[in-house]
Amino acid sequence: QLHLQESGPGLVKPSETLSLTCTVSGGSVSCNSCHWGWIRQPPGRGLEWIATIYSIGGTDYNPSLKSRVTISLDTSKNQFSLKLNSVTAADTAVYYCATRRTGSYSDYWGQGTLVTVSS
Amino acid sequence: QSALTQPPSASGSPGQSVTISCTGTSGDIGGYNYVSWYQQHPGKAPKLMIYDVTKRPSGVPDRFSGSKSGNTASLTVSGLQAEDEADYYCSSYAHNNNVVFGGGTKLTVL
């Protein structure tokens, strides 16, 4: 049974970089066909896919965020991470890390972490 | 890419059936059999209810079923129960390895 847990600052200043880490337990981030992703949800609004990283190291990004986002894998710590730069208030959201299976569905999710962008 | 279109609300009485629609394009729902549905209770993470259009993960009651016709996918909840009251989101694989979500439907059990 996989368990995912997000961690990182809950408050980020405008124009700075949002950095989050997802720690995976109950399985390896580098297993065959294991893919991982970040999804966010602004307060009171719907879900938005941000990025995916594949076990072979490739990445995919939401075209609307691609210029500001980096997703990476740290197999030594069994973690994957998200960096979103030049943040504004519009980036305030609950950020979830999750699995991404073939076909794009996510069967395991972290509990989510609220990141507020404010000075 | 544009979000998938869902009705903002749906409702039904206990024991009834309700169907939630999700409309996309030939570039997402219509082009691939990779539609998934999520249930989200307030303050909780989404829970996968349906994947690959019609498949149910282990532990999801068979009262939940999915289907697709053309560019529109549907989630049907039969035998409504109080605990089914939640927000429901559809999602689809889209061209170039993208993922798109619907805006969400708030299901009320009357």
Side-chain angles (χ1 to χ4, degrees), chain A residues 39 56 89 96 101:
Chain A
I39 297 151
I56 57 174
Y96 295 99
R101 307 300 189 183

Side-chain angles (χ1 to χ4, degrees), chain A residues 44-104:
Chain A
R45 297 180 61 185
L47 300 167
E48 180 182 34
W49 169 66
I50 303 171
T52 299
I53 187 162
Y54 302 94
S55 57
I56 57 174
T59 57
D60 280 309
Y61 297 105
N62 184 321
S64 67
L65 298 169
K66 186 173 183 177
S67 63
R68 300 193 291 130
V69 176
T70 303
I71 187 172
S72 60
L73 204 59
D74 187 337
T75 56
S76 67
K77 295 181 179 179
N78 219 37
Q79 297 174 335
F80 61 101
S81 298
L82 175 75
K83 290 190 186 299
L84 177 65
N85 58 38
S86 304
V87 297
T88 69
D91 295 310
T92 293
V94 174
Y95 285 77
Y96 295 99
C97 60
T99 54
R100 180 177 166 180
R101 307 300 189 183
T102 299
S104 85

Side-chain angles (χ1 to χ4, degrees), chain B residues 42-64:
Chain B
K44 300 295 187 181
K47 175 186 176 184
L48 179 68
M49 304 302 283
I50 295 288
Y51 68 100
D52 293 354
V53 181
T54 61
K55 299 176 182 177
R56 267 189 321 274
S58 174
V60 172
D62 60 6
R63 303 184 293 103
F64 291 85

Side-chain angles (χ1 to χ4, degrees), chain B residues 87-104:
Chain B
D87 293 327
Y88 290 83
Y89 293 91
C90 61
S91 178
S92 176
Y93 175 88
H95 185 58
N96 285 339
N97 286 329
N98 292 322
V99 179
V100 287
F101 285 96

